[in-house]
Amino acid sequence: MGYCSAAACEKSYGGLCLKRRGHHINIEIEEDGRPALTRAARKVMKKRFVCAVLVFALAVSLAPSALGGGAFGSELPPNMHLKSLGRGAFQQVLPYYEGYAWFCDSVGGARKWGFMDSGGRVVVEPVYDRYWADSFNATLSHPEYRFSDGRALVYLAGSGYGYVDTSGRLVVPLGKYEPAHGVAPFYRDGVAVVARASTRNAQGQLIGGASVLLDRSGKELAAYDRIYAPQDGLARFEHYERDARGEFVYVGDWVQGGVGFIDLTGRVAIPWTAFPFSGNAKPGNFSEGFSVVGGHRIEVIDKAGKPVPAFAGFAGKGYAITGSGDSGTGGFSDGMVAIVRRGTDPMIGEDSQLYGFADRSGRIVVEPKYSWALDFANGFARVAAAVPGAWGWATMDRWGFVDKAGREVLSPSKSKYHSMRPFTEYGFAAAYAYDLTQEDMAGGWGAVRSDGREILPPVYRFIGENNLTVTGEEEFPGGLIRAADYSGRVAYFDGGGNVVIPFGTIIGGSAALNDNFFSGGLIRYGENGKIGYLDLTGSVAIPPIFDGAGYYREGKAVVYAAGAAYLLTVEPDPLDSASGWARPLLREAADKGIVPRALQRDYRGAATRQDFAALVVAAYESATGAPIAGRGSFSDTDDPDVLKAAYIGVVDGVGGGRYDPGAALTRQQAAVMLSRLADALGCPLPDAAPSFSDSGTLPSWAYASVGRVQAAGIMEGTGGNMFSPRAPYSREQAIATVLRLYNMVT
């Protein structure tokens, strides 16, 4: 490793630039970027002395011996950059959210927490404590300690909870509120639900208007005995009447009060008097514009509190609608709602509640016949059938699923699964099965496809993420299935059950169960004692050159080497916009110099006629090793690539001396230009008739060319043996086909 003495480099980066094997790694030294220095120390130390010390320390820390022979500059791709964070290794850094990351450092021997911004600058000093819990609030975990809607929850022992903005200013003072029971203390849509810290009795119960709806400035919009998290634009609340002494007022056996709804401004949308407790009417949270009312009133209401006529006759027909009650769960999902009626269970011959589904119009899609049913998700609902049990169990549910037409895709009576989780957007669900041959019935989790076929056998400790509170990411990132075995190892499979990341690859051993999974599309892995990141295909995205690495999110992660912390920033890769099949071809074409830089973006977008001319010229000049000297002529463009491509006979106009450079390139036009490019390169394609089912729609001027590029394997169809001649041609398709022809010629 050596220092880069190039004046241009030093001028460009304004900091320390280290160089190894021709690669530059820029470590910026900023006066404001040294959070480890106290304000008093900053006043005492002279800037020149501080910079000299830091430069020396960084040079030592990045020396080959200190890094165990590794070299950042030689191994980091050019779109990745490191910046020193100016302090020792942080004890922990959580993922970035909205451009800010919650971090932990040692202050006076205690673990304290603060926030850093996207540039690694500390905006909230590490003065706060990690979490607090009591018997009524479960231990708060990572997502509560992140920015959401420009606000973050903080806690200081002895002072309580508050909210800070992105500048670190307390917009909701410490100690006035605390997280409300059962409601995540995020700001969403400009509001948060909290509890007044002073309104708990000795038993910890919320009393006296304890729940509050806050806006982002900390203003109270509404206060009730309990407010639930807003859903579908409305928040359900409960109100209890009290006398002058603060005691509940009763009407018979019921507390005087009821359930209502407020909007996100705190305005009452449906008053609590519409659903008094004494009437035993229990509306659930709104979902898809409806709320299901249970108890003595079996109905569905709209956001004005009015009954939906389509469900008015359900009670008279012996049906009830599920998804209501105190929990407010269930209701409408995927346009369907679970219904129930009394009847004889067909599997066990006993009187029971049987479950089915109705749609938004009130039409019964699945007649109630199942022992249990759970909400639709992504087109499928889980349904259960009670079957004779094992090892002393009288009955046991077996789970299958139905589609939105009411068809049994997997019959529960024939299923081996004893539990299932909701279907994902990727067309599979996690499923659990007991081993009924064993007295302890020990079993495992597997995965089943939406067509009923098994993807993974039910032998795993769990399927999916078991600690999503850390990342806030989707459970099955990019359609990958996370599986953990009973020894604590983790692997990832695709939707076909193929291994993408094998067991033993991810760092952390058994700790990987709780502390290592995809965040921001990357996951940490270890190799030769160093840590890097893999992407969703299992390929190395960031090489394993670090001693430690934090979660990657929003294009950033904090990494560690030789006891120092660095902010790793990854610039977006233009290939992220390309289809998976196209990426290796696009990379190869760029490496061979046949893709102009202006075309290395928006790969799935439609290519223009000018774009294709640029590709033609780049491929021709690279293959021949000589520039095109002549020029054609058009009345509507003087673009040199268009004029060059016209000169060699590859492109022509659209009539009237015009080329129409900005028009979208069609597939039939691309076929003609590719065939002509082969001619221009002295490698004409063999004649052949096109065999696509829509070949009869080809114009005469394109017919022969389509046949040639099909026979040569340069262009393929669009599916169903169709060529779709007038469909637009994407940039990635244009680049891929020019590359195929280029490889054939060269």
Side-chain angles (χ1 to χ4, degrees):
M1 177 177 290
Y3 295 103
C4 175
S5 59
C9 179
E10 294 177 0
K11 182 177 180 181
S12 173
Y13 297 107
L16 174 64
C17 179
L18 303 180
K19 177 182 177 184
R20 184 179 178 88
R21 300 178 196 168
H23 293 264
H24 299 273
I25 183 73
N26 305 296
I27 310 298
E28 299 179 21
I29 308 299
E30 300 181 19
E31 181 66 18
D32 293 334
R34 305 196 309 275
L37 297 175
T38 65
R39 292 182 176 87
R42 289 174 183 169
K43 292 180 180 179
V44 174
M45 293 182 176
K46 293 183 178 180
K47 291 182 180 180
R48 291 181 180 273
F49 176 74
V50 173
C51 287
V53 170
L54 289 175
V55 168
F56 176 78
L58 286 170
V60 171
S61 70
L62 291 177
S65 59
L67 291 176
F72 289 157
S74 65
E75 299 184 60
L76 275 181
N79 67 322
M80 301 181 188
H81 310 283
L82 285 172
K83 176 182 177 181
S84 171
L85 292 178
R87 64 167 74 208
F90 294 95
Q91 295 188 19
Q92 189 176 7
V93 180
L94 301 186
Y96 271 89
Y97 289 90
E98 298 186 358
Y100 298 88
W102 179 254
F103 73 90
C104 173
D105 214 346
S106 179
V107 179
R111 288 169 58 90
K112 293 291 184 177
W113 292 80
F115 280 99
M116 68 174 70
D117 66 14
S118 59
R121 183 177 65 91
V122 173
V123 294
V124 178
E125 293 289 343
V127 297
Y128 294 106
D129 294 299
R130 176 67 176 81
Y131 62 79
W132 172 84
D134 64 14
S135 59
F136 300 96
N137 283 289
T139 299
L140 298 175
S141 53
H142 297 180
E144 283 78 17
Y145 289 85
R146 59 169 170 150
F147 275 96
S148 176
D149 215 0
R151 300 289 182 266
L153 182 74
V154 293
Y155 172 74
L156 185 61
S159 297
Y161 288 96
Y163 287 90
V164 295
D165 63 16
T166 55
S167 70
R169 181 177 63 92
L170 276 166
V171 292
V172 178
L174 296 172
K176 188 174 182 180
Y177 304 104
E178 62 185 47
H181 180 66
V183 182
F186 291 126
Y187 268 89
R188 289 190 179 93
D189 299 320
V191 297
V193 176
V194 296
R196 285 184 182 146
S198 60
T199 53
R200 286 183 181 273
N201 62 19
Q203 289 73 42
Q205 298 169 322
L206 298 173
I207 60 173
S211 283
V212 175
L213 185 71
L214 291 182
D215 70 8
R216 294 176 74 250
S217 70
K219 177 184 176 182
E220 293 190 4
L221 301 175
Y224 292 97
D225 288 278
R226 185 166 186 182
I227 302 176
Y228 295 82
Q231 288 187 209
D232 208 12
L234 294 178
R236 191 164 57 110
F237 72 86
E238 295 176 1
H239 170 72
Y240 300 89
E241 291 281 273
R242 291 177 172 81
D243 59 22
R245 297 176 299 173
E247 301 290 337
F248 291 135
V249 176
Y250 284 84
V251 178
D253 293 332
W254 296 91
V255 174
Q256 177 70 23
V259 178
F261 292 86
I262 55 176
D263 64 19
L264 299 184
T265 69
R267 183 185 65 86
V268 174
I270 301 175
W272 66 265
T273 52
F275 299 99
F277 295 135
S278 57
N280 191 20
K282 302 176 180 178
N285 287 332
F286 271 87
S287 175
E288 299 184 358
F290 295 146
S291 169
V292 175
V293 182
H296 293 166
R297 286 167 59 179
I298 307 299
E299 63 184 5
V300 175
I301 60 172
D302 62 20
K303 289 189 174 182
K306 297 179 180 179
V308 178
F311 297 92
F314 265 51
K317 298 176 183 177
Y319 296 107
I321 307 168
T322 66
S324 60
D326 293 335
S327 67
T329 58
F332 281 84
S333 176
D334 247 11
M336 310 284 276
V337 66
I339 59 175
V340 65
R341 67 172 175 83
R342 299 296 303 184
T344 301
D345 191 304
M347 297 301 298
I348 59 177
E350 297 179 1
D351 183 60
S352 181
Q353 286 198 136
L354 301 177
Y355 290 80
F357 288 94
D359 63 17
R360 291 172 59 91
S361 70
R363 181 176 64 92
I364 296 175
V365 178
V366 180
E367 184 66 35
K369 62 179 180 179
Y370 298 104
S371 63
W372 196 251
L374 298 174
D375 289 344
F376 266 86
N378 295 299
F380 299 92
R382 297 158 288 163
V383 294
V387 299
W391 300 100
W393 291 41
T395 62
M396 179 178 294
D397 282 338
R398 296 286 181 96
W399 286 84
F401 53 93
V402 297
D403 63 18
K404 296 181 73 170
R407 293 186 294 261
E408 279 191 354
V409 182
L410 176 62
S411 171
S413 61
K414 299 177 182 179
S415 170
K416 67 180 178 182
Y417 303 111
H418 300 93
S419 179
M420 292 186 74
R421 292 169 62 193
F423 268 87
T424 72
E425 62 182 297
Y426 302 104
F428 57 76
Y432 186 88
Y434 292 112
D435 183 354
L436 300 182
T437 66
Q438 304 295 322
E439 187 170 358
D440 61 4
M441 296 194 301
W445 285 95
V448 60
R449 286 167 47 111
S450 58
D451 60 4
R453 288 185 290 173
E454 188 172 85
I455 301 173
L456 296 176
V459 298
Y460 297 100
R461 177 176 172 183
F462 68 80
I463 293 290
E465 308 286 21
N466 73 324
N467 194 1
L468 287 175
T469 57
V470 176
T471 67
E473 301 270 337
E474 62 173 322
E475 185 170 10
F476 297 95
L480 295 185
I481 303 171
R482 184 177 191 244
D485 63 17
Y486 281 90
S487 66
R489 301 180 307 163
V490 172
Y492 279 85
F493 300 84
D494 65 18
N498 304 302
V499 176
V500 176
I501 300 178
F503 286 110
T505 305
I506 302 170
I507 65 169
S510 61
L513 293 180
N514 295 312
D515 196 39
N516 211 332
F517 33 81
F518 276 95
S519 178
L522 299 183
I523 191 169
R524 296 172 293 183
Y525 85 107
E527 185 177 314
N528 298 324
K530 296 292 183 179
I531 298 174
Y533 297 82
L534 302 177
D535 64 17
L536 293 169
T537 69
S539 303
V540 175
I542 300 175
I545 58 176
F546 306 110
D547 296 332
Y551 294 105
Y552 175 88
R553 201 170 190 277
E554 297 186 358
K556 298 182 183 300
V558 173
V559 295
Y560 306 89
Y566 304 89
L567 181 66
L568 172 67
T569 301
V570 181
E571 297 175 359
D573 187 345
L575 287 178
D576 291 343
S577 68
S579 303
W581 66 266
R583 289 173 189 171
L585 299 176
L586 299 174
R587 191 174 289 111
E588 179 186 352
D591 289 343
K592 290 181 175 179
I594 63 173
V595 186
R597 182 167 296 277
L599 302 186
Q600 296 179 19
R601 59 180 178 81
D602 189 22
Y603 288 108
R604 298 192 200 191
T608 66
R609 289 168 54 81
Q610 182 172 313
D611 290 340
F612 205 74
L615 284 170
V616 164
V617 170
Y620 182 92
E621 293 184 341
S622 176
T624 61
I628 300 172
R631 300 289 189 273
S633 176
F634 294 103
S635 62
D636 60 347
T637 181
D638 57 1
D639 180 79
D641 289 323
V642 172
L643 303 185
K644 286 182 180 181
Y647 178 77
I648 61 175
V650 175
V651 307
D652 55 17
V654 295
R658 298 173 58 252
Y659 181 71
D660 200 6
L665 180 76
T666 64
R667 291 176 54 80
Q668 61 190 12
Q669 290 172 347
V672 172
M673 294 179 188
L674 286 165
S675 179
R676 289 177 178 172
L677 178 59
D679 292 340
L681 289 170
C683 185
L685 302 178
D687 289 330
S691 60
F692 297 106
S693 59
D694 58 352
S695 296
T697 65
L698 287 166
S700 58
W701 54 266
Y703 187 88
S705 294
V706 171
R708 293 186 188 110
V709 294
Q710 180 189 14
I714 294 173
M715 285 186 74
E716 301 170 346
T718 56
N721 196 34
M722 301 283 286
F723 183 72
S724 306
R726 293 173 178 80
Y729 209 42
S730 70
R731 260 186 193 171
E732 62 188 14
Q733 290 170 335
I735 295 169
T737 50
V738 169
L739 173 67
R740 289 172 188 154
L741 177 59
Y742 177 86
N743 287 340
M744 182 183 301
V745 171
T746 58

